[in-house]
Amino acid sequence: MATVNSYTGRMPTPDRTSLDAIIAAARDLLEENGLAGLTMSAVATRVGVRAPSLYKRVPSRDRLLQLVAEATLLELAQRLDATDDLVEGARRFRAYGHERPAAFRMVMAPGAGAPLAGLELRAAASAPIIRAAAALAGEKHALAAARTFTAWASGFVSMELNGGFGLGGDVDEAWDFGVERLIAALSAR
Amino acid sequence: MATVNSYTGRMPTPDRTSLDAIIAAARDLLEENGLAGLTMSAVATRVGVRAPSLYKRVPSRDRLLQLVAEATLLELAQRLDATDDLVEGARRFRAYGHERPAAFRMVMAPGAGAPLAGLELRAAASAPIIRAAAALAGEKHALAAARTFTAWASGFVSMELNGGFGLGGDVDEAWDFGVERLIAALSAR
DNA sequence: ACCTGAACACCGTTCAAGT
DNA sequence: ACCTGAACACCGTTCAAGT
């Protein structure tokens, strides 16, 4: 309920920004300028306020980073949802890493300056994979198979994004090789 | 050649620290207090000088982080050297991650505040794995097989260190399962 | 030559004062 | 209620001055 301002007698100023706008600005800054470029001042400028105003919506920069991580995991989960094909799921997983490399790195390897996202969201993002792994490896080995496949995919994309694959060799070919061999290895015998 | 100080007429003060001591202090601080706790001031205190003195041996904090990453990769390469058994190599790789989790994370996922280590060192750490992969998968698939195995191992340990494996299930069991299936999958057909 | 205190720029965060 | 300038603590880094 909007009330008259006691000093001016006019209505209070309408909000000049929102939590969603702040998170969106933070995500953009992260991709454009890296974690070091994601300052409270830069976020504030981008949403059109001064840095202190951000603290009306977010308690700290750390918490903002966590919200960025959660938004990233949510988006990733949506991309993976409605796929029961492990090969296609892995392809989308990798594509998302290419689309948002900085956020992807932050989510896959927190601790190095970035906080962990909520565990429920991590679980949500991996749920489709576990389903597919169960179909492939059987219920008994579903969890271990999902972990094997997830570890490989996550490690592969992380190495790729970090320049971990030196020169030489076709990276796409290594991806296809890995998918093929892993699917074969995890299939129920 | 030590010369007489022109002002005091005495010998110059002997060095109170060294680059090696600075890197060692930085590595310890990284494990104890995380990346945020690895400040120039904290490093200086630990080696017994004031922060500005560090700049006589290291040009910047970023460069110091890079030296820490390189020392970590070198140590890891030494641990893996002289193993042509992929299972034993993977076991040592994982054990090193448990031994120095913060440095391991920094090396496996740089960019998130940490700079990349030299490419030669990355290559050195992966050389024994490529050798073992060649013996297993054959020369033709040696590189792709090494990448598959390395991506899995690196992804597995990273997830483990970052709490990426939610609750439930035996992580050691998932490791053994992954090793066994991967070795089988990568073996020449 | 190495070391230091002082100083500067920058960043996260708080707070009193504006509207 | 939201917003702001001013201020504070902290950190990386530079520099002139000591020895």
Side-chain angles (χ1 to χ4, degrees):
Chain A
M1 172 90 73
T3 51
V4 173
N5 184 286
S6 60
Y7 181 88
T8 61
R10 286 183 282 99
M11 299 310 263
T13 314
D15 294 4
R16 257 167 254 185
T17 186
S18 67
L19 180 57
D20 280 352
I22 288 169
I23 295 172
R27 294 178 75 186
D28 291 346
L29 278 167
L30 177 62
E31 297 303 334
E32 288 168 31
N33 305 322
L35 203 50
L38 171 31
T39 62
M40 295 303 270
S41 174
V43 171
T45 299
R46 202 162 275 225
V47 299
V49 298
R50 305 288 186 157
S53 299
L54 298 179
Y55 293 86
K56 284 285 156 181
R57 334 247 176 207
V58 168
S60 68
R61 178 176 181 268
D62 259 18
R63 175 67 183 141
L64 176 55
L65 291 180
Q66 198 178 329
L67 290 170
V68 167
E70 288 174 5
T72 302
L73 275 173
L74 186 63
E75 196 174 58
L76 174 60
Q78 284 163 351
R79 299 288 177 88
L80 298 183
D81 208 15
T83 322
D84 49 2
D85 179 9
L86 213 48
V87 176
E88 171 62 13
R91 198 195 60 73
R92 292 190 197 172
F93 179 84
R94 185 177 177 220
Y96 190 70
H98 293 169
E99 190 180 322
R100 290 204 178 262
F104 189 89
R105 263 194 302 249
M106 190 171 117
V107 164
M108 293 302 144
L116 270 98
L119 281 179
E120 332 78 52
L121 273 166
R122 293 180 153 257
S126 60
I129 297 173
I130 294 187
R131 246 185 289 122
L136 192 70
E139 285 300 335
K140 191 189 163 204
H141 292 129
L143 185 58
R147 281 176 173 169
T148 301
F149 195 78
T150 305
W152 168 76
S154 151
F156 191 101
V157 179
S158 289
M159 290 183 67
E160 184 178 20
L161 294 181
N162 294 323
F165 295 135
L167 5 88
D170 188 333
V171 176
D172 287 339
E173 193 181 295
W175 173 265
D176 290 338
F177 177 87
V179 169
E180 185 209 327
R181 297 289 178 119
L182 273 165
I183 298 284
L186 298 179
S187 294
R189 286 152 173 181
Chain B
M1 170 93 71
T3 51
V4 173
N5 184 285
S6 60
Y7 181 87
T8 60
R10 286 182 282 101
M11 298 312 261
T13 313
D15 294 3
R16 257 167 256 186
T17 185
S18 68
L19 181 57
D20 281 352
I22 289 170
I23 295 173
R27 294 178 76 187
D28 290 346
L29 278 167
L30 177 62
E31 298 302 335
E32 287 168 31
N33 305 324
L35 203 50
L38 171 31
T39 62
M40 296 302 271
S41 175
V43 171
T45 299
R46 202 162 275 225
V47 299
V49 299
R50 305 288 184 156
S53 298
L54 298 178
Y55 293 86
K56 285 284 156 183
R57 333 249 178 208
V58 167
S60 67
R61 178 176 181 268
D62 260 18
R63 176 67 183 141
L64 176 56
L65 292 180
Q66 199 177 327
L67 290 169
V68 167
E70 287 174 6
T72 302
L73 275 173
L74 186 64
E75 195 174 59
L76 173 60
Q78 285 163 350
R79 299 287 178 89
L80 298 183
D81 209 16
T83 323
D84 49 3
D85 179 8
L86 215 45
V87 176
E88 171 62 12
R91 198 196 59 74
R92 292 191 196 171
F93 179 84
R94 184 178 178 220
Y96 190 70
H98 293 171
E99 190 180 323
R100 289 203 178 261
F104 189 89
R105 264 194 302 251
M106 190 170 116
V107 164
M108 292 302 146
L116 271 97
L119 282 178
E120 332 77 53
L121 273 167
R122 292 179 154 258
S126 59
I129 297 173
I130 294 187
R131 246 185 289 122
L136 191 70
E139 285 300 336
K140 192 189 162 204
H141 291 129
L143 185 57
R147 281 176 172 169
T148 300
F149 195 79
T150 306
W152 168 76
S154 150
F156 191 101
V157 180
S158 290
M159 290 182 67
E160 185 177 19
L161 294 181
N162 294 322
F165 295 136
L167 4 90
D170 188 333
V171 175
D172 287 340
E173 193 181 295
W175 173 265
D176 290 339
F177 176 88
V179 168
E180 184 210 325
R181 297 289 180 119
L182 273 166
I183 298 284
L186 298 179
S187 294
R189 287 152 173 182

mmCIF file of all heavy atoms in Angstrom, chain B residues 45-72:
data_model
loop_
_atom_site.group_PDB
_atom_site.id
_atom_site.type_symbol
_atom_site.label_atom_id
_atom_site.label_comp_id
_atom_site.label_asym_id
_atom_site.label_seq_id
_atom_site.Cartn_x
_atom_site.Cartn_y
_atom_site.Cartn_z
ATOM 1 N N THR B 45 53.656 -11.218 6.667
ATOM 2 C CA THR B 45 53.748 -11.513 8.098
ATOM 3 C C THR B 45 54.366 -12.889 8.316
ATOM 4 O O THR B 45 55.236 -13.071 9.159
ATOM 5 C CB THR B 45 52.350 -11.454 8.742
ATOM 6 O OG1 THR B 45 51.826 -10.129 8.575
ATOM 7 C CG2 THR B 45 52.411 -11.801 10.212
ATOM 8 N N ARG B 46 53.904 -13.859 7.510
ATOM 9 C CA ARG B 46 54.369 -15.229 7.702
ATOM 10 C C ARG B 46 55.853 -15.406 7.404
ATOM 11 O O ARG B 46 56.514 -16.245 8.015
ATOM 12 C CB ARG B 46 53.538 -16.174 6.828
ATOM 13 C CG ARG B 46 53.560 -17.591 7.308
ATOM 14 C CD ARG B 46 52.425 -18.385 6.727
ATOM 15 N NE ARG B 46 51.208 -18.223 7.502
ATOM 16 C CZ ARG B 46 50.415 -19.254 7.846
ATOM 17 N NH1 ARG B 46 50.740 -20.472 7.495
ATOM 18 N NH2 ARG B 46 49.321 -19.056 8.540
ATOM 19 N N VAL B 47 56.369 -14.641 6.467
ATOM 20 C CA VAL B 47 57.794 -14.780 6.170
ATOM 21 C C VAL B 47 58.620 -13.753 6.936
ATOM 22 O O VAL B 47 59.848 -13.721 6.797
ATOM 23 C CB VAL B 47 58.077 -14.667 4.655
ATOM 24 C CG1 VAL B 47 57.351 -15.761 3.892
ATOM 25 C CG2 VAL B 47 57.712 -13.291 4.114
ATOM 26 N N GLY B 48 57.961 -12.890 7.712
ATOM 27 C CA GLY B 48 58.698 -12.007 8.599
ATOM 28 C C GLY B 48 59.131 -10.670 8.015
ATOM 29 O O GLY B 48 60.111 -10.076 8.485
ATOM 30 N N VAL B 49 58.415 -10.204 6.997
ATOM 31 C CA VAL B 49 58.692 -8.856 6.476
ATOM 32 C C VAL B 49 57.375 -8.090 6.363
ATOM 33 O O VAL B 49 56.322 -8.602 6.719
ATOM 34 C CB VAL B 49 59.383 -8.907 5.097
ATOM 35 C CG1 VAL B 49 60.718 -9.620 5.185
ATOM 36 C CG2 VAL B 49 58.485 -9.563 4.059
ATOM 37 N N ARG B 50 57.441 -6.858 5.833
ATOM 38 C CA ARG B 50 56.222 -6.085 5.573
ATOM 39 C C ARG B 50 55.829 -6.267 4.118
ATOM 40 O O ARG B 50 56.676 -6.541 3.261
ATOM 41 C CB ARG B 50 56.458 -4.604 5.877
ATOM 42 C CG ARG B 50 56.962 -4.331 7.272
ATOM 43 C CD ARG B 50 55.870 -4.555 8.298
ATOM 44 N NE ARG B 50 56.342 -4.207 9.645
ATOM 45 C CZ ARG B 50 55.519 -3.852 10.636
ATOM 46 N NH1 ARG B 50 54.216 -3.809 10.444
ATOM 47 N NH2 ARG B 50 56.005 -3.552 11.824
ATOM 48 N N ALA B 51 54.554 -6.061 3.861
ATOM 49 C CA ALA B 51 54.025 -6.324 2.520
ATOM 50 C C ALA B 51 54.836 -5.695 1.383
ATOM 51 O O ALA B 51 55.112 -6.372 0.383
ATOM 52 C CB ALA B 51 52.562 -5.888 2.444
ATOM 53 N N PRO B 52 55.227 -4.421 1.480
ATOM 54 C CA PRO B 52 55.938 -3.839 0.329
ATOM 55 C C PRO B 52 57.219 -4.601 -0.036
ATOM 56 O O PRO B 52 57.631 -4.597 -1.199
ATOM 57 C CB PRO B 52 56.258 -2.417 0.796
ATOM 58 C CG PRO B 52 55.197 -2.102 1.786
ATOM 59 C CD PRO B 52 54.929 -3.403 2.504
ATOM 60 N N SER B 53 57.826 -5.259 0.930
ATOM 61 C CA SER B 53 59.068 -5.968 0.642
ATOM 62 C C SER B 53 58.864 -7.139 -0.312
ATOM 63 O O SER B 53 59.802 -7.551 -1.013
ATOM 64 C CB SER B 53 59.686 -6.492 1.940
ATOM 65 O OG SER B 53 60.008 -5.413 2.788
ATOM 66 N N LEU B 54 57.672 -7.693 -0.339
ATOM 67 C CA LEU B 54 57.403 -8.828 -1.223
ATOM 68 C C LEU B 54 57.645 -8.458 -2.681
ATOM 69 O O LEU B 54 58.015 -9.309 -3.496
ATOM 70 C CB LEU B 54 55.967 -9.317 -1.056
ATOM 71 C CG LEU B 54 55.576 -9.842 0.326
ATOM 72 C CD1 LEU B 54 54.110 -10.252 0.352
ATOM 73 C CD2 LEU B 54 56.463 -11.018 0.733
ATOM 74 N N TYR B 55 57.427 -7.184 -2.985
ATOM 75 C CA TYR B 55 57.527 -6.760 -4.389
ATOM 76 C C TYR B 55 58.970 -6.725 -4.883
ATOM 77 O O TYR B 55 59.208 -6.444 -6.043
ATOM 78 C CB TYR B 55 56.817 -5.420 -4.579
ATOM 79 C CG TYR B 55 55.328 -5.559 -4.381
ATOM 80 C CD1 TYR B 55 54.759 -5.462 -3.107
ATOM 81 C CD2 TYR B 55 54.494 -5.840 -5.451
ATOM 82 C CE1 TYR B 55 53.396 -5.619 -2.915
ATOM 83 C CE2 TYR B 55 53.132 -6.000 -5.277
ATOM 84 C CZ TYR B 55 52.587 -5.888 -4.002
ATOM 85 O OH TYR B 55 51.240 -6.064 -3.818
ATOM 86 N N LYS B 56 59.914 -7.020 -3.994
ATOM 87 C CA LYS B 56 61.306 -7.178 -4.436
ATOM 88 C C LYS B 56 61.484 -8.531 -5.121
ATOM 89 O O LYS B 56 62.404 -8.728 -5.914
ATOM 90 C CB LYS B 56 62.253 -7.086 -3.237
ATOM 91 C CG LYS B 56 62.462 -5.688 -2.714
ATOM 92 C CD LYS B 56 63.385 -4.903 -3.627
ATOM 93 C CE LYS B 56 63.129 -3.404 -3.456
ATOM 94 N NZ LYS B 56 63.957 -2.596 -4.365
ATOM 95 N N ARG B 57 60.614 -9.493 -4.801
ATOM 96 C CA ARG B 57 60.772 -10.857 -5.345
ATOM 97 C C ARG B 57 59.641 -11.264 -6.291
ATOM 98 O O ARG B 57 59.808 -12.202 -7.072
ATOM 99 C CB ARG B 57 60.773 -11.896 -4.219
ATOM 100 C CG ARG B 57 61.238 -11.381 -2.892
ATOM 101 C CD ARG B 57 62.557 -11.979 -2.508
ATOM 102 N NE ARG B 57 62.980 -11.416 -1.235
ATOM 103 C CZ ARG B 57 64.242 -11.288 -0.881
ATOM 104 N NH1 ARG B 57 65.198 -11.708 -1.674
ATOM 105 N NH2 ARG B 57 64.556 -10.749 0.268
ATOM 106 N N VAL B 58 58.496 -10.623 -6.138
ATOM 107 C CA VAL B 58 57.317 -10.999 -6.923
ATOM 108 C C VAL B 58 56.660 -9.719 -7.432
ATOM 109 O O VAL B 58 56.461 -8.793 -6.663
ATOM 110 C CB VAL B 58 56.328 -11.780 -6.035
ATOM 111 C CG1 VAL B 58 54.979 -11.913 -6.723
ATOM 112 C CG2 VAL B 58 56.877 -13.141 -5.676
ATOM 113 N N PRO B 59 56.319 -9.664 -8.716
ATOM 114 C CA PRO B 59 55.811 -8.406 -9.272
ATOM 115 C C PRO B 59 54.373 -8.093 -8.885
ATOM 116 O O PRO B 59 53.962 -6.937 -8.967
ATOM 117 C CB PRO B 59 55.925 -8.616 -10.784
ATOM 118 C CG PRO B 59 55.909 -10.087 -10.967
ATOM 119 C CD PRO B 59 56.526 -10.696 -9.738
ATOM 120 N N SER B 60 53.594 -9.111 -8.504
ATOM 121 C CA SER B 60 52.191 -8.853 -8.173
ATOM 122 C C SER B 60 51.594 -10.069 -7.478
ATOM 123 O O SER B 60 52.153 -11.176 -7.524
ATOM 124 C CB SER B 60 51.382 -8.567 -9.437
ATOM 125 O OG SER B 60 51.320 -9.737 -10.237
ATOM 126 N N ARG B 61 50.455 -9.891 -6.870
ATOM 127 C CA ARG B 61 49.753 -11.013 -6.236
ATOM 128 C C ARG B 61 49.343 -12.031 -7.292
ATOM 129 O O ARG B 61 49.432 -13.244 -7.061
ATOM 130 C CB ARG B 61 48.529 -10.510 -5.475
ATOM 131 C CG ARG B 61 47.714 -11.608 -4.827
ATOM 132 C CD ARG B 61 46.581 -11.044 -4.002
ATOM 133 N NE ARG B 61 45.792 -12.081 -3.346
ATOM 134 C CZ ARG B 61 44.703 -12.639 -3.868
ATOM 135 N NH1 ARG B 61 44.280 -12.275 -5.052
ATOM 136 N NH2 ARG B 61 44.053 -13.562 -3.202
ATOM 137 N N ASP B 62 48.882 -11.556 -8.439
ATOM 138 C CA ASP B 62 48.495 -12.467 -9.513
ATOM 139 C C ASP B 62 49.644 -13.393 -9.906
ATOM 140 O O ASP B 62 49.456 -14.591 -10.103
ATOM 141 C CB ASP B 62 48.032 -11.673 -10.736
ATOM 142 C CG ASP B 62 46.511 -11.615 -10.812
ATOM 143 O OD1 ASP B 62 45.856 -11.879 -9.784
ATOM 144 O OD2 ASP B 62 45.988 -11.301 -11.888
ATOM 145 N N ARG B 63 50.809 -12.809 -10.027
ATOM 146 C CA ARG B 63 51.973 -13.615 -10.381
ATOM 147 C C ARG B 63 52.305 -14.611 -9.264
ATOM 148 O O ARG B 63 52.701 -15.752 -9.540
ATOM 149 C CB ARG B 63 53.160 -12.689 -10.656
ATOM 150 C CG ARG B 63 54.458 -13.396 -10.952
ATOM 151 C CD ARG B 63 54.448 -14.159 -12.262
ATOM 152 N NE ARG B 63 55.713 -14.881 -12.452
ATOM 153 C CZ ARG B 63 55.825 -16.086 -12.974
ATOM 154 N NH1 ARG B 63 54.737 -16.717 -13.409
ATOM 155 N NH2 ARG B 63 56.986 -16.670 -13.107
ATOM 156 N N LEU B 64 52.131 -14.197 -8.035
ATOM 157 C CA LEU B 64 52.372 -15.114 -6.913
ATOM 158 C C LEU B 64 51.402 -16.298 -6.978
ATOM 159 O O LEU B 64 51.800 -17.454 -6.786
ATOM 160 C CB LEU B 64 52.232 -14.378 -5.580
ATOM 161 C CG LEU B 64 52.368 -15.228 -4.308
ATOM 162 C CD1 LEU B 64 53.683 -15.988 -4.284
ATOM 163 C CD2 LEU B 64 52.243 -14.358 -3.055
ATOM 164 N N LEU B 65 50.140 -16.016 -7.300
ATOM 165 C CA LEU B 65 49.165 -17.098 -7.441
ATOM 166 C C LEU B 65 49.578 -18.051 -8.552
ATOM 167 O O LEU B 65 49.431 -19.265 -8.442
ATOM 168 C CB LEU B 65 47.778 -16.527 -7.737
ATOM 169 C CG LEU B 65 47.126 -15.745 -6.604
ATOM 170 C CD1 LEU B 65 45.750 -15.232 -7.024
ATOM 171 C CD2 LEU B 65 47.013 -16.605 -5.359
ATOM 172 N N GLN B 66 50.112 -17.491 -9.603
ATOM 173 C CA GLN B 66 50.559 -18.327 -10.716
ATOM 174 C C GLN B 66 51.734 -19.211 -10.293
ATOM 175 O O GLN B 66 51.805 -20.387 -10.666
ATOM 176 C CB GLN B 66 50.946 -17.430 -11.884
ATOM 177 C CG GLN B 66 50.995 -18.142 -13.211
ATOM 178 C CD GLN B 66 51.314 -17.174 -14.343
ATOM 179 O OE1 GLN B 66 50.928 -16.007 -14.297
ATOM 180 N NE2 GLN B 66 52.025 -17.639 -15.349
ATOM 181 N N LEU B 67 52.622 -18.656 -9.511
ATOM 182 C CA LEU B 67 53.755 -19.440 -9.013
ATOM 183 C C LEU B 67 53.269 -20.562 -8.090
ATOM 184 O O LEU B 67 53.818 -21.671 -8.105
ATOM 185 C CB LEU B 67 54.745 -18.531 -8.269
ATOM 186 C CG LEU B 67 55.510 -17.556 -9.176
ATOM 187 C CD1 LEU B 67 56.269 -16.526 -8.351
ATOM 188 C CD2 LEU B 67 56.473 -18.308 -10.098
ATOM 189 N N VAL B 68 52.242 -20.278 -7.316
ATOM 190 C CA VAL B 68 51.654 -21.309 -6.461
ATOM 191 C C VAL B 68 51.071 -22.424 -7.326
ATOM 192 O O VAL B 68 51.274 -23.617 -7.059
ATOM 193 C CB VAL B 68 50.568 -20.709 -5.542
ATOM 194 C CG1 VAL B 68 49.741 -21.807 -4.883
ATOM 195 C CG2 VAL B 68 51.198 -19.816 -4.486
ATOM 196 N N ALA B 69 50.375 -22.034 -8.395
ATOM 197 C CA ALA B 69 49.788 -23.026 -9.295
ATOM 198 C C ALA B 69 50.881 -23.874 -9.940
ATOM 199 O O ALA B 69 50.752 -25.098 -10.053
ATOM 200 C CB ALA B 69 48.945 -22.336 -10.359
ATOM 201 N N GLU B 70 51.957 -23.240 -10.320
ATOM 202 C CA GLU B 70 53.049 -23.986 -10.968
ATOM 203 C C GLU B 70 53.723 -24.945 -9.999
ATOM 204 O O GLU B 70 54.046 -26.076 -10.364
ATOM 205 C CB GLU B 70 54.058 -22.998 -11.565
ATOM 206 C CG GLU B 70 53.502 -22.320 -12.821
ATOM 207 C CD GLU B 70 54.404 -21.223 -13.364
ATOM 208 O OE1 GLU B 70 55.521 -21.046 -12.837
ATOM 209 O OE2 GLU B 70 53.977 -20.532 -14.316
ATOM 210 N N ALA B 71 53.934 -24.493 -8.777
ATOM 211 C CA ALA B 71 54.530 -25.372 -7.773
ATOM 212 C C ALA B 71 53.624 -26.571 -7.525
ATOM 213 O O ALA B 71 54.097 -27.710 -7.347
ATOM 214 C CB ALA B 71 54.767 -24.604 -6.473
ATOM 215 N N THR B 72 52.327 -26.328 -7.534
ATOM 216 C CA THR B 72 51.355 -27.398 -7.317
ATOM 217 C C THR B 72 51.417 -28.410 -8.456
ATOM 218 O O THR B 72 51.474 -29.629 -8.223
ATOM 219 C CB THR B 72 49.936 -26.809 -7.216
ATOM 220 O OG1 THR B 72 49.903 -25.858 -6.144
ATOM 221 C CG2 THR B 72 48.906 -27.910 -6.976
#
